[in-house]
Every structure is written in structure tokens, then in C-alpha cells.
Amino acid sequence: MSGAGDEPFIAAVKPLVDAMGGEMIPPDEAGPDDVVLSWEGADAVAVRLPQLADSLDHILAAMERRKGMPLADLDRKAKQEVVRILEARGAFSVRHGVETVASALGVSRFTVYNYLNREKGT
């Protein structure tokens, strides 16, 4: 995928790529929507970004790992906090975002909308 000199760079960016649900590919296989990263003047690696819907699933899984339990098992206040974080990250601009989040939280779409409206009211 790369020359010997860029392995530290690739190792350094891998956690970021993994966290956002991207995929590292050889730069010469990059498509028009991929991001090519250069290191010391040469293309080191290309990053294929996830589709927004896949990214939302990845964000929800990461939140579950951070919380140490399924999001559906959180109390109401913690679920409201999750909705606030997800709104800040644009989760509800994704098609079916509200439904996806509601399912992960074990609540109805109506409840998610209530959490969103509560935030706007304060």
C-alpha cells in the first residue's frame, strides 16, 4: 500500500480512519470520492469515507462501547444526552436518522422528536 517511509504516518492516521468507519486503500486505487493523504511529498494512503448512513451506525456502536452498555439500557437523561450529541454531529440530517436512533435507544420516533424539541426550547 505504501513505501517504507510512510508506515508511521499510516499507523498514526489508522485510529482516526477506524473511528469514522473509513477504509484505507492504496492511493493508486483511489476513486473520485476518496481522500488521498500525502506524506513527505508522496501519496501515502487513500481513505474511503463511509456513506452517511453507515457512519451513523458506526457512531451509535462507538457510543455503546463508550457507555459500556446498549444505548437502549440507558436512563432517560442519558438517552437525551445521546440525542444531543447525535444532533450536534448531524445524525438527523441522514435519511432515516431519527428511526435509526430511536431503534438504537429503544424508544419511539416521537420520543426522539420530543428530546430534540426539548433541546431547542432551552
Side-chain angles (χ1 to χ4, degrees):
M1 181 182 321
S2 60
D6 44 15
E7 269 117 20
F9 174 74
I10 292 171
V13 298
K14 186 175 184 335
L16 176 62
V17 173
D18 290 347
M20 62 188 202
E23 176 188 358
M24 297 174 88
I25 58 173
D28 59 345
E29 293 179 17
D33 295 331
D34 298 328
V35 179
V36 178
L37 302 177
S38 296
W39 178 249
E40 297 180 345
D43 292 345
V45 66
V47 178
R48 181 156 294 154
L49 300 172
Q51 298 298 311
L52 281 174
D54 294 340
S55 187
L56 178 54
D57 289 338
H58 199 80
I59 291 167
L60 289 166
M63 292 182 92
E64 279 197 345
R65 284 192 304 276
R66 232 175 283 130
K67 299 284 187 188
M69 66 174 69
L71 297 178
D73 293 348
L74 298 174
D75 64 25
R76 186 173 57 85
K77 185 173 164 92
K79 288 179 182 182
Q80 289 171 334
E81 173 68 16
V82 166
V83 168
R84 186 168 40 250
I85 292 166
L86 292 171
E87 182 180 27
R89 294 184 75 175
F92 302 110
S93 63
V94 175
R95 185 172 180 183
H96 303 299
V98 171
E99 293 87 344
T100 301
V101 171
S103 176
L105 292 175
V107 299
S108 68
R109 289 182 349 199
F110 181 76
T111 297
V112 172
Y113 284 119
N114 278 342
Y115 292 169
L116 289 167
N117 290 332
R118 175 170 290 129
E119 291 308 311
K120 289 179 175 73
T122 52

